[in-house]
Amino acid sequence: TTTTTTSSTTTTTTRAPIDVGVSSALVVAAASATCATTSLKALWCWGDAATAQLGAAPTADPVRVEVVSTQGAVSVAVGGSHSCAIAATGTAHCWGSNAQGQLCASDTEDRFSNGPAPAVDLSEIVVGVALGEVHSCFHAASGLVYCVGSNSVGQIGLGPEVAQVVANATLPAVLLGNHRVA
């Protein structure tokens, strides 16, 4: 408990731990949502779910998010309006707003995950994921980085003439210069 006194006002703040049942392995947060993986590879999220980035309705209580994998989630990322997790099998699963194609789906339909979160089709094992406000980048085991979503300021590594990328069979890798790719 922390007590702060300013002038004639006293504010008391109590900090309580978020109980997800077992120890947390990874905790990530964005402006209005937080997610954590546990040591047992379960995935929990809490906060504002206005765009379904929690996989459920808005709540201050942790909500378990189902990831399509019997081996569970090993990593998670939270963006401005969407979230993604990497399953122990190396597949990425994303849910929430897809207005700019940031879920790496073949359309711009939002994905509200009240059941298992849908898998991203990259045809590669995913080892990392990073999310922005309305874009996502997936780091594949091959070393390539695939980015989708809004490219309004070049954030997915393409020239400014490309406004957004929605996943398809020819998703471009990010070029780093000198003939290197990420």
Side-chain angles (χ1 to χ4, degrees), residues 46-51 54 56-61 63:
W46 57 94
D48 180 19
T51 58
L54 303 183
T59 178
D61 296 321
V63 174

Side-chain angles (χ1 to χ4, degrees), residues 100-106 120-124 126 136-140 142 144-149 156 158 162 164-175 181-182:
Q100 296 292 316
Q102 65 265 39
L103 298 185
C104 200
S106 60
V120 170
D121 182 17
L122 287 179
S123 301
E124 289 203 47
V126 178
S136 305
C137 292
F138 303 91
H139 182 199
S142 65
L144 296 176
V145 173
Y146 298 93
C147 297
V148 293
I156 63 172
L158 301 175
V162 179
Q164 76 179 31
V165 171
V166 176
N168 58 37
T170 57
L171 190 64
V174 178
L175 298 176
V181 293

Side-chain angles (χ1 to χ4, degrees), residues 21-181:
V22 294
S23 63
S24 294
L26 173 69
V27 178
V28 295
S32 60
T34 304
C35 290
T37 60
T38 71
S39 57
L40 298 178
K41 298 184 179 130
L43 176 60
W44 294 84
C45 297
W46 57 94
D48 180 19
T51 58
Q53 68 265 37
L54 303 183
T59 178
D61 296 321
V63 174
R64 183 160 184 174
V65 179
E66 291 183 55
V67 174
V68 181
S69 169
T70 58
Q71 297 178 10
V74 295
S75 183
V76 63
V78 179
S81 58
H82 64 300
S83 300
C84 296
I86 300 173
T89 57
T91 56
H93 302 264
C94 298
W95 58 94
S97 174
N98 194 33
Q100 296 292 316
Q102 65 265 39
L103 298 185
C104 200
S106 60
D107 57 34
T108 56
E109 296 296 317
D110 294 346
R111 302 293 191 269
F112 299 98
S113 180
N114 290 326
V120 170
D121 182 17
L122 287 179
S123 301
E124 289 203 47
I125 292 175
V126 178
V127 296
V129 61
L131 307 180
E133 187 68 26
V134 287
H135 72 286
S136 305
C137 292
F138 303 91
H139 182 199
S142 65
L144 296 176
V145 173
Y146 298 93
C147 297
V148 293
S150 174
N151 191 51
S152 61
V153 292
Q155 64 267 44
I156 63 172
L158 301 175
E161 66 280 358
V162 179
Q164 76 179 31
V165 171
V166 176
N168 58 37
T170 57
L171 190 64
V174 178
L175 298 176
L176 299 177
N178 296 329
H179 307 290
R180 296 175 298 166
V181 293

